[in-house]
Amino acid sequence: MSVKFSKDHEWINTAKADAAVVGITQHAQDALGDVVFVDLPEVGATFAQGDVAGVVESVKAAADVYMPVSGEIVEVNEALRADPSLANSDPLGEGWFFKVRPSDAAQLDGLMDETAYAAFAQNA
């Protein structure tokens, strides 16, 4: 699996050639608690790396979801919109947020691999 992690606690999986899948990390969902609502971006919208692309709300707090790379949203997870708890039960799988077509693949090099993110998250 070609997964990278951002300092904002998003993951991006670039295993599929057509679009990369983005979601929040296990660490993020642990910190948020029970997710009750997600605001997903519009398909076709374009964002720069670091832009707010969505919002996740839990019983504890609301948090922005940031773009790990620049690109165009090509799909959103309607199942997550219907059942936000998927972000808790399977944050690295069925709880994905959206798919993006990256416009600058070099930005992926600035993200962390799983080992680096695990060390980062311990201190977050």
Side-chain angles (χ1 to χ4, degrees):
M1 194 185 281
S2 304
V3 179
K4 297 279 195 150
F5 299 86
S6 75
K7 290 182 178 178
D8 296 312
H9 305 288
E10 285 84 27
W11 57 266
I12 182 167
N13 182 341
T14 58
K16 301 213 188 256
D18 56 336
V21 182
V22 176
I24 62 171
T25 65
Q26 183 73 41
H27 175 83
Q29 75 83 28
D30 285 345
L32 284 166
D34 294 336
V35 174
V36 295
F37 176 77
V38 293
D39 182 19
L40 301 172
E42 294 291 323
V43 172
T46 57
F47 295 93
Q49 184 179 38
D51 283 356
V52 174
V55 176
V56 58
E57 294 182 14
S58 73
V59 294
K60 291 186 193 176
D64 292 330
V65 177
Y66 298 94
M67 287 294 289
V69 296
S70 299
E72 177 186 355
I73 304 300
V74 296
E75 186 179 342
V76 296
N77 187 352
E78 293 298 341
L80 181 65
R81 194 186 314 261
D83 182 6
S85 69
L86 289 171
N88 294 116
S89 61
D90 193 10
L92 298 174
E94 295 300 314
W96 61 275
F97 277 59
F98 52 85
K99 294 182 182 178
V100 60
R101 185 172 299 118
S103 58
D104 183 357
Q107 290 175 339
L108 293 165
D109 296 336
L111 300 176
M112 295 174 272
D113 64 16
E114 188 171 357
T115 302
Y117 178 74
F120 172 80
Q122 276 188 325
N123 300 314

